Amino acid sequence: MAGLDEVLKKHPNLQILNNELLIRGFSLFKIAEEYGTPLYVVDGNLIVERYKEMRDAFLSENCNALIAYAYKANSLLAITKLLAKEGAGATVVSAYGIKLALLSGVENSKIVLVGPSKSYSDLTEAIKNNIGLINIESEQELVEINQIAEKMGNRMNIGIRVNLGLSAGAHPKIRTGGRKHKFGVDEKTAIKLYKYASKMKGVKPIALHAHIGSQITDLKVFQLEAQRLALLSSTIYKKHKLDVPVLDLGGGLGIPYTSNEERIPYKEFAKIVCKTINEVYENAGLQKPMIIVEPGRYLVADSTLLLMKVNYVKRIGRKTWILVDAGMNDFIRTAMYNAYHEIVPIIIRDKKEVYNIGGPVCESSDVFATNRELSEVKKDDLLALLDAGAYGISMSSTYNIRSRPAVVMLFNNKLYLIRERDTFEDIIKNDKTLPNS
Ligand code: PLP
């Protein structure tokens, strides 16, 4: 189990002063007092820093790369706008995702639509706005896009998502690249569809795409993915004399959730990916392609903590339970993926104890940690669950008739409310009652 020192070393925006945990010098106590709990606290500057790290890593490899932030990780408008302002593109999975990207200020050409089961309205929105790329996942989808685009007098850039039979990720539920998964088409079909698309009037095939999973920490997996996609491009060229000028590697880059893990060397990531792809293209006599990456977690996960209040501390058998005011509706990763997140009390006491930490939802999976050694925790204390920026608020719900939490952002030394807590009216506003009820 990591000590507090190691946790802080991995989170340089957090400090302890007079036994109190601060974020960039701000008192989390005062923040909780002003905005209530459960509360997500986002460090906006860290998001920008992560984006720039990755952008610069590709630039220093002289690699033409589009970093298309995966909105599913966290689609709060303040965050999507921040990244758009820095020049990030957007990877979205729905018509509303396209609208959100445009509202955030992302250029149409930098928007990528992905997903195995897009609806007619998702596709129409993409074609109407002539977005940069639609990654298709079946022949039927290709035909449908062609029909809609032809009708609209448009020609859409499409990519083909390939199921490489290569899967990775921290939990079975976030692995997506295996043959048993629903995503993409096999290599043979990809070649066939690329050729088929080249003859269509409403589409223009430009890319091959894969996304093999999430929270991947082994760079060799990305190397293999890059190589397999690049080799497939060269096969398409050899067989059909068709260029594949864009390779979209999807997202998946992991972060160190436990303090014993190291941060993935993002420079190495860019280097390995660019070098692998460029070598294959060069050997095939092809021009270097543009590379798209779709990071979600990597850009936003460590920017955010979930602040929660201790309602009760009690003992059942040999276990001491801390019962907090945040639940699986606010943050589902521990319940759904058995994910590990560091949890730090805001007041640090000398005495230590081992705790289980659970929420208010009536499900046994509504637990954030088990057998966790923390400095002693008392009723009404505050706890911070770290690295909560990805798949936190974006997967939150009103389950158990609970509000989705409020979110504040620290940016350039100021604190902003970027999402109001749901009110009761928010929760029921779309419900309709039966007549005479
Ligand atoms: N791209 C696609 C197609 C995805 O399905 C996902 C996540 O599931 C992502 C990008 C973002 O993944 P991550 O947050 O692991 O970078």
PDB file of all heavy atoms in Angstrom, residues 68 70 72-73 91 93 114-115 161 176 183 209-211 213-216 250-254 294-298 390-391, ligand 1:
ATOM      1  N   ALA A  68      -7.222  13.922 -31.033  1.00  0.00           N
ATOM      2  CA  ALA A  68      -8.680  14.109 -31.007  1.00  0.00           C
ATOM      3  C   ALA A  68      -9.194  13.581 -29.664  1.00  0.00           C
ATOM      4  O   ALA A  68      -9.434  12.371 -29.509  1.00  0.00           O
ATOM      5  CB  ALA A  68      -9.319  13.379 -32.183  1.00  0.00           C
ATOM      6  N   ALA A  70     -11.034  12.215 -26.654  1.00  0.00           N
ATOM      7  CA  ALA A  70     -12.235  11.369 -26.580  1.00  0.00           C
ATOM      8  C   ALA A  70     -13.199  11.945 -25.543  1.00  0.00           C
ATOM      9  O   ALA A  70     -12.972  11.833 -24.337  1.00  0.00           O
ATOM     10  CB  ALA A  70     -11.851   9.931 -26.234  1.00  0.00           C
ATOM     11  N   LYS A  72     -15.922  11.042 -24.395  1.00  0.00           N
ATOM     12  CA  LYS A  72     -16.591  10.159 -23.443  1.00  0.00           C
ATOM     13  C   LYS A  72     -15.906  10.170 -22.072  1.00  0.00           C
ATOM     14  O   LYS A  72     -16.533   9.911 -21.059  1.00  0.00           O
ATOM     15  CB  LYS A  72     -16.670   8.748 -24.012  1.00  0.00           C
ATOM     16  CG  LYS A  72     -15.326   8.085 -24.169  1.00  0.00           C
ATOM     17  CD  LYS A  72     -15.304   6.970 -25.197  1.00  0.00           C
ATOM     18  CE  LYS A  72     -16.242   5.845 -24.883  1.00  0.00           C
ATOM     19  NZ  LYS A  72     -16.043   4.723 -25.829  1.00  0.00           N
ATOM     20  N   ALA A  73     -14.610  10.484 -22.047  1.00  0.00           N
ATOM     21  CA  ALA A  73     -13.887  10.471 -20.767  1.00  0.00           C
ATOM     22  C   ALA A  73     -14.413  11.555 -19.828  1.00  0.00           C
ATOM     23  O   ALA A  73     -14.539  11.343 -18.619  1.00  0.00           O
ATOM     24  CB  ALA A  73     -12.394  10.652 -20.993  1.00  0.00           C
ATOM     25  N   THR A  91     -13.002  13.303 -30.480  1.00  0.00           N
ATOM     26  CA  THR A  91     -13.554  12.000 -30.877  1.00  0.00           C
ATOM     27  C   THR A  91     -14.873  11.845 -30.148  1.00  0.00           C
ATOM     28  O   THR A  91     -14.919  11.922 -28.918  1.00  0.00           O
ATOM     29  CB  THR A  91     -12.603  10.855 -30.459  1.00  0.00           C
ATOM     30  OG1 THR A  91     -11.363  11.047 -31.112  1.00  0.00           O
ATOM     31  CG2 THR A  91     -13.175   9.506 -30.856  1.00  0.00           C
ATOM     32  N   VAL A  93     -19.080   9.990 -30.155  1.00  0.00           N
ATOM     33  CA  VAL A  93     -19.789   8.761 -30.535  1.00  0.00           C
ATOM     34  C   VAL A  93     -21.276   9.009 -30.830  1.00  0.00           C
ATOM     35  O   VAL A  93     -22.034   8.050 -30.954  1.00  0.00           O
ATOM     36  CB  VAL A  93     -19.657   7.677 -29.442  1.00  0.00           C
ATOM     37  CG1 VAL A  93     -18.235   7.182 -29.311  1.00  0.00           C
ATOM     38  CG2 VAL A  93     -20.141   8.182 -28.111  1.00  0.00           C
ATOM     39  N   VAL A 114     -16.961   7.950 -34.047  1.00  0.00           N
ATOM     40  CA  VAL A 114     -16.661   6.524 -33.921  1.00  0.00           C
ATOM     41  C   VAL A 114     -17.864   5.814 -33.284  1.00  0.00           C
ATOM     42  O   VAL A 114     -18.784   6.477 -32.805  1.00  0.00           O
ATOM     43  CB  VAL A 114     -15.411   6.287 -33.027  1.00  0.00           C
ATOM     44  CG1 VAL A 114     -14.160   6.878 -33.629  1.00  0.00           C
ATOM     45  CG2 VAL A 114     -15.627   6.830 -31.611  1.00  0.00           C
ATOM     46  N   GLY A 115     -17.808   4.499 -33.255  1.00  0.00           N
ATOM     47  CA  GLY A 115     -18.849   3.737 -32.540  1.00  0.00           C
ATOM     48  C   GLY A 115     -19.428   2.642 -33.410  1.00  0.00           C
ATOM     49  O   GLY A 115     -19.615   2.840 -34.609  1.00  0.00           O
ATOM     50  N   ARG A 161     -12.761   0.796 -39.208  1.00  0.00           N
ATOM     51  CA  ARG A 161     -12.253   0.274 -37.935  1.00  0.00           C
ATOM     52  C   ARG A 161     -11.961  -1.214 -38.091  1.00  0.00           C
ATOM     53  O   ARG A 161     -12.848  -1.993 -38.450  1.00  0.00           O
ATOM     54  CB  ARG A 161     -13.265   0.502 -36.812  1.00  0.00           C
ATOM     55  CG  ARG A 161     -12.755  -0.051 -35.484  1.00  0.00           C
ATOM     56  CD  ARG A 161     -13.535   0.494 -34.335  1.00  0.00           C
ATOM     57  NE  ARG A 161     -13.107  -0.048 -33.056  1.00  0.00           N
ATOM     58  CZ  ARG A 161     -13.563   0.381 -31.898  1.00  0.00           C
ATOM     59  NH1 ARG A 161     -14.457   1.351 -31.862  1.00  0.00           N
ATOM     60  NH2 ARG A 161     -13.137  -0.139 -30.774  1.00  0.00           N
ATOM     61  N   THR A 176     -11.356  -3.938 -26.038  1.00  0.00           N
ATOM     62  CA  THR A 176     -12.281  -3.815 -27.176  1.00  0.00           C
ATOM     63  C   THR A 176     -11.757  -4.407 -28.476  1.00  0.00           C
ATOM     64  O   THR A 176     -12.475  -4.411 -29.463  1.00  0.00           O
ATOM     65  CB  THR A 176     -12.591  -2.327 -27.433  1.00  0.00           C
ATOM     66  OG1 THR A 176     -11.347  -1.623 -27.543  1.00  0.00           O
ATOM     67  CG2 THR A 176     -13.420  -1.699 -26.345  1.00  0.00           C
ATOM     68  N   PHE A 183     -16.553  -4.879 -32.034  1.00  0.00           N
ATOM     69  CA  PHE A 183     -16.034  -3.705 -32.724  1.00  0.00           C
ATOM     70  C   PHE A 183     -15.342  -4.028 -34.049  1.00  0.00           C
ATOM     71  O   PHE A 183     -14.606  -5.010 -34.158  1.00  0.00           O
ATOM     72  CB  PHE A 183     -15.045  -2.955 -31.823  1.00  0.00           C
ATOM     73  CG  PHE A 183     -15.671  -2.555 -30.520  1.00  0.00           C
ATOM     74  CD1 PHE A 183     -15.519  -3.317 -29.379  1.00  0.00           C
ATOM     75  CD2 PHE A 183     -16.458  -1.404 -30.446  1.00  0.00           C
ATOM     76  CE1 PHE A 183     -16.109  -2.951 -28.188  1.00  0.00           C
ATOM     77  CE2 PHE A 183     -17.057  -1.037 -29.258  1.00  0.00           C
ATOM     78  CZ  PHE A 183     -16.887  -1.817 -28.118  1.00  0.00           C
ATOM     79  N   HIS A 209      -8.526   2.412 -38.848  1.00  0.00           N
ATOM     80  CA  HIS A 209      -8.673   2.783 -37.443  1.00  0.00           C
ATOM     81  C   HIS A 209      -8.724   1.528 -36.573  1.00  0.00           C
ATOM     82  O   HIS A 209      -9.223   0.489 -37.002  1.00  0.00           O
ATOM     83  CB  HIS A 209      -9.981   3.586 -37.290  1.00  0.00           C
ATOM     84  CG  HIS A 209     -10.476   3.745 -35.888  1.00  0.00           C
ATOM     85  ND1 HIS A 209      -9.755   4.365 -34.899  1.00  0.00           N
ATOM     86  CD2 HIS A 209     -11.642   3.367 -35.310  1.00  0.00           C
ATOM     87  CE1 HIS A 209     -10.448   4.365 -33.770  1.00  0.00           C
ATOM     88  NE2 HIS A 209     -11.600   3.772 -33.993  1.00  0.00           N
ATOM     89  N   ALA A 210      -8.187   1.638 -35.378  1.00  0.00           N
ATOM     90  CA  ALA A 210      -8.390   0.590 -34.373  1.00  0.00           C
ATOM     91  C   ALA A 210      -8.417   1.258 -33.000  1.00  0.00           C
ATOM     92  O   ALA A 210      -7.834   2.338 -32.812  1.00  0.00           O
ATOM     93  CB  ALA A 210      -7.279  -0.451 -34.428  1.00  0.00           C
ATOM     94  N   HIS A 211      -9.134   0.666 -32.100  1.00  0.00           N
ATOM     95  CA  HIS A 211      -9.070   1.079 -30.684  1.00  0.00           C
ATOM     96  C   HIS A 211      -9.151  -0.217 -29.910  1.00  0.00           C
ATOM     97  O   HIS A 211     -10.176  -0.900 -29.940  1.00  0.00           O
ATOM     98  CB  HIS A 211     -10.223   2.016 -30.317  1.00  0.00           C
ATOM     99  CG  HIS A 211     -10.314   2.262 -28.841  1.00  0.00           C
ATOM    100  ND1 HIS A 211      -9.503   3.144 -28.191  1.00  0.00           N
ATOM    101  CD2 HIS A 211     -11.092   1.682 -27.891  1.00  0.00           C
ATOM    102  CE1 HIS A 211      -9.774   3.119 -26.890  1.00  0.00           C
ATOM    103  NE2 HIS A 211     -10.742   2.248 -26.689  1.00  0.00           N
ATOM    104  N   GLY A 213      -8.466  -0.953 -26.588  1.00  0.00           N
ATOM    105  CA  GLY A 213      -8.858  -1.020 -25.180  1.00  0.00           C
ATOM    106  C   GLY A 213      -8.452   0.233 -24.443  1.00  0.00           C
ATOM    107  O   GLY A 213      -7.956   1.182 -25.053  1.00  0.00           O
ATOM    108  N   SER A 214      -8.666   0.230 -23.138  1.00  0.00           N
ATOM    109  CA  SER A 214      -8.417   1.431 -22.345  1.00  0.00           C
ATOM    110  C   SER A 214      -7.549   1.090 -21.129  1.00  0.00           C
ATOM    111  O   SER A 214      -7.538  -0.047 -20.673  1.00  0.00           O
ATOM    112  CB  SER A 214      -9.767   1.996 -21.891  1.00  0.00           C
ATOM    113  OG  SER A 214      -9.626   3.298 -21.425  1.00  0.00           O
ATOM    114  N   GLN A 215      -6.847   2.114 -20.630  1.00  0.00           N
ATOM    115  CA  GLN A 215      -5.915   1.927 -19.506  1.00  0.00           C
ATOM    116  C   GLN A 215      -4.847   0.892 -19.879  1.00  0.00           C
ATOM    117  O   GLN A 215      -4.598  -0.082 -19.169  1.00  0.00           O
ATOM    118  CB  GLN A 215      -6.687   1.584 -18.218  1.00  0.00           C
ATOM    119  CG  GLN A 215      -5.852   1.415 -16.954  1.00  0.00           C
ATOM    120  CD  GLN A 215      -4.985   2.631 -16.638  1.00  0.00           C
ATOM    121  OE1 GLN A 215      -5.175   3.714 -17.168  1.00  0.00           O
ATOM    122  NE2 GLN A 215      -4.001   2.491 -15.792  1.00  0.00           N
ATOM    123  N   ILE A 216      -4.226   1.139 -21.039  1.00  0.00           N
ATOM    124  CA  ILE A 216      -3.135   0.275 -21.506  1.00  0.00           C
ATOM    125  C   ILE A 216      -1.818   0.923 -21.084  1.00  0.00           C
ATOM    126  O   ILE A 216      -1.590   2.116 -21.342  1.00  0.00           O
ATOM    127  CB  ILE A 216      -3.180   0.116 -23.046  1.00  0.00           C
ATOM    128  CG1 ILE A 216      -4.505  -0.522 -23.456  1.00  0.00           C
ATOM    129  CG2 ILE A 216      -1.993  -0.708 -23.547  1.00  0.00           C
ATOM    130  CD1 ILE A 216      -4.800  -0.452 -24.934  1.00  0.00           C
ATOM    131  N   GLY A 250      -6.821   5.258 -32.263  1.00  0.00           N
ATOM    132  CA  GLY A 250      -7.743   5.232 -31.132  1.00  0.00           C
ATOM    133  C   GLY A 250      -7.101   5.791 -29.869  1.00  0.00           C
ATOM    134  O   GLY A 250      -6.069   6.471 -29.916  1.00  0.00           O
ATOM    135  N   GLY A 251      -7.729   5.489 -28.732  1.00  0.00           N
ATOM    136  CA  GLY A 251      -7.193   5.980 -27.454  1.00  0.00           C
ATOM    137  C   GLY A 251      -6.579   4.835 -26.685  1.00  0.00           C
ATOM    138  O   GLY A 251      -6.056   3.892 -27.279  1.00  0.00           O
ATOM    139  N   GLY A 252      -6.640   4.924 -25.367  1.00  0.00           N
ATOM    140  CA  GLY A 252      -6.227   3.779 -24.566  1.00  0.00           C
ATOM    141  C   GLY A 252      -5.029   3.981 -23.670  1.00  0.00           C
ATOM    142  O   GLY A 252      -4.756   3.142 -22.810  1.00  0.00           O
ATOM    143  N   LEU A 253      -4.303   5.070 -23.882  1.00  0.00           N
ATOM    144  CA  LEU A 253      -3.088   5.291 -23.084  1.00  0.00           C
ATOM    145  C   LEU A 253      -3.462   5.408 -21.599  1.00  0.00           C
ATOM    146  O   LEU A 253      -4.312   6.207 -21.222  1.00  0.00           O
ATOM    147  CB  LEU A 253      -2.414   6.572 -23.576  1.00  0.00           C
ATOM    148  CG  LEU A 253      -0.943   6.771 -23.221  1.00  0.00           C
ATOM    149  CD1 LEU A 253      -0.086   5.623 -23.721  1.00  0.00           C
ATOM    150  CD2 LEU A 253      -0.427   8.080 -23.801  1.00  0.00           C
ATOM    151  N   GLY A 254      -2.810   4.602 -20.781  1.00  0.00           N
ATOM    152  CA  GLY A 254      -3.176   4.544 -19.371  1.00  0.00           C
ATOM    153  C   GLY A 254      -2.448   5.559 -18.506  1.00  0.00           C
ATOM    154  O   GLY A 254      -1.532   6.242 -18.956  1.00  0.00           O
ATOM    155  N   GLU A 294      -6.655   9.225 -30.099  1.00  0.00           N
ATOM    156  CA  GLU A 294      -7.918   9.624 -29.448  1.00  0.00           C
ATOM    157  C   GLU A 294      -7.822   9.459 -27.931  1.00  0.00           C
ATOM    158  O   GLU A 294      -8.592   8.707 -27.330  1.00  0.00           O
ATOM    159  CB  GLU A 294      -9.060   8.749 -29.989  1.00  0.00           C
ATOM    160  CG  GLU A 294      -9.220   8.774 -31.497  1.00  0.00           C
ATOM    161  CD  GLU A 294     -10.242   7.739 -31.994  1.00  0.00           C
ATOM    162  OE1 GLU A 294     -10.666   6.872 -31.203  1.00  0.00           O
ATOM    163  OE2 GLU A 294     -10.619   7.807 -33.170  1.00  0.00           O
ATOM    164  N   PRO A 295      -6.900  10.156 -27.287  1.00  0.00           N
ATOM    165  CA  PRO A 295      -6.767   9.960 -25.839  1.00  0.00           C
ATOM    166  C   PRO A 295      -7.939  10.567 -25.076  1.00  0.00           C
ATOM    167  O   PRO A 295      -8.405  11.661 -25.394  1.00  0.00           O
ATOM    168  CB  PRO A 295      -5.472  10.712 -25.504  1.00  0.00           C
ATOM    169  CG  PRO A 295      -5.378  11.768 -26.553  1.00  0.00           C
ATOM    170  CD  PRO A 295      -5.998  11.190 -27.794  1.00  0.00           C
ATOM    171  N   GLY A 296      -8.423   9.833 -24.104  1.00  0.00           N
ATOM    172  CA  GLY A 296      -9.437  10.377 -23.205  1.00  0.00           C
ATOM    173  C   GLY A 296      -8.823  10.466 -21.822  1.00  0.00           C
ATOM    174  O   GLY A 296      -8.400  11.515 -21.343  1.00  0.00           O
ATOM    175  N   ARG A 297      -8.709   9.289 -21.206  1.00  0.00           N
ATOM    176  CA  ARG A 297      -8.190   9.170 -19.845  1.00  0.00           C
ATOM    177  C   ARG A 297      -6.876   9.930 -19.639  1.00  0.00           C
ATOM    178  O   ARG A 297      -6.703  10.638 -18.658  1.00  0.00           O
ATOM    179  CB  ARG A 297      -7.950   7.682 -19.580  1.00  0.00           C
ATOM    180  CG  ARG A 297      -7.588   7.336 -18.158  1.00  0.00           C
ATOM    181  CD  ARG A 297      -7.190   5.859 -18.092  1.00  0.00           C
ATOM    182  NE  ARG A 297      -8.165   4.967 -18.701  1.00  0.00           N
ATOM    183  CZ  ARG A 297      -9.230   4.490 -18.077  1.00  0.00           C
ATOM    184  NH1 ARG A 297      -9.456   4.800 -16.828  1.00  0.00           N
ATOM    185  NH2 ARG A 297     -10.078   3.680 -18.699  1.00  0.00           N
ATOM    186  N   TYR A 298      -5.947   9.751 -20.587  1.00  0.00           N
ATOM    187  CA  TYR A 298      -4.609  10.319 -20.407  1.00  0.00           C
ATOM    188  C   TYR A 298      -4.673  11.841 -20.196  1.00  0.00           C
ATOM    189  O   TYR A 298      -3.901  12.396 -19.418  1.00  0.00           O
ATOM    190  CB  TYR A 298      -3.740   9.999 -21.640  1.00  0.00           C
ATOM    191  CG  TYR A 298      -2.373  10.591 -21.530  1.00  0.00           C
ATOM    192  CD1 TYR A 298      -1.375   9.930 -20.818  1.00  0.00           C
ATOM    193  CD2 TYR A 298      -2.078  11.837 -22.078  1.00  0.00           C
ATOM    194  CE1 TYR A 298      -0.121  10.494 -20.681  1.00  0.00           C
ATOM    195  CE2 TYR A 298      -0.836  12.408 -21.934  1.00  0.00           C
ATOM    196  CZ  TYR A 298       0.136  11.730 -21.234  1.00  0.00           C
ATOM    197  OH  TYR A 298       1.372  12.292 -21.075  1.00  0.00           O
ATOM    198  N   ALA A 390     -11.387  11.019 -15.414  1.00  0.00           N
ATOM    199  CA  ALA A 390     -11.849  10.297 -16.604  1.00  0.00           C
ATOM    200  C   ALA A 390     -12.895   9.271 -16.203  1.00  0.00           C
ATOM    201  O   ALA A 390     -12.691   8.498 -15.259  1.00  0.00           O
ATOM    202  CB  ALA A 390     -10.675   9.591 -17.277  1.00  0.00           C
ATOM    203  N   TYR A 391     -13.996   9.242 -16.925  1.00  0.00           N
ATOM    204  CA  TYR A 391     -15.083   8.294 -16.675  1.00  0.00           C
ATOM    205  C   TYR A 391     -15.611   8.434 -15.245  1.00  0.00           C
ATOM    206  O   TYR A 391     -15.983   7.459 -14.602  1.00  0.00           O
ATOM    207  CB  TYR A 391     -14.616   6.856 -16.988  1.00  0.00           C
ATOM    208  CG  TYR A 391     -14.024   6.776 -18.390  1.00  0.00           C
ATOM    209  CD1 TYR A 391     -12.641   6.739 -18.606  1.00  0.00           C
ATOM    210  CD2 TYR A 391     -14.857   6.822 -19.500  1.00  0.00           C
ATOM    211  CE1 TYR A 391     -12.104   6.719 -19.892  1.00  0.00           C
ATOM    212  CE2 TYR A 391     -14.328   6.804 -20.791  1.00  0.00           C
ATOM    213  CZ  TYR A 391     -12.955   6.756 -20.971  1.00  0.00           C
ATOM    214  OH  TYR A 391     -12.439   6.747 -22.236  1.00  0.00           O
TER     215      TYR A 391
HETATM  216  N1  PLP B   1     -11.520   6.058 -28.911  1.00  0.00           N
HETATM  217  C1  PLP B   1     -12.468   5.095 -28.859  1.00  0.00           C
HETATM  218  C2  PLP B   1     -13.000   4.551 -30.124  1.00  0.00           C
HETATM  219  C3  PLP B   1     -12.928   4.624 -27.616  1.00  0.00           C
HETATM  220  O1  PLP B   1     -13.866   3.679 -27.567  1.00  0.00           O
HETATM  221  C4  PLP B   1     -12.363   5.173 -26.437  1.00  0.00           C
HETATM  222  C5  PLP B   1     -12.774   4.690 -25.100  1.00  0.00           C
HETATM  223  O2  PLP B   1     -13.384   3.716 -24.893  1.00  0.00           O
HETATM  224  C6  PLP B   1     -11.384   6.168 -26.535  1.00  0.00           C
HETATM  225  C7  PLP B   1     -10.984   6.589 -27.776  1.00  0.00           C
HETATM  226  C8  PLP B   1     -10.753   6.779 -25.316  1.00  0.00           C
HETATM  227  O3  PLP B   1     -10.048   5.825 -24.600  1.00  0.00           O
HETATM  228  P1  PLP B   1      -9.097   6.247 -23.392  1.00  0.00           P
HETATM  229  O4  PLP B   1      -9.884   7.068 -22.467  1.00  0.00           O
HETATM  230  O5  PLP B   1      -8.671   4.948 -22.821  1.00  0.00           O
HETATM  231  O6  PLP B   1      -7.952   6.996 -23.991  1.00  0.00           O
END
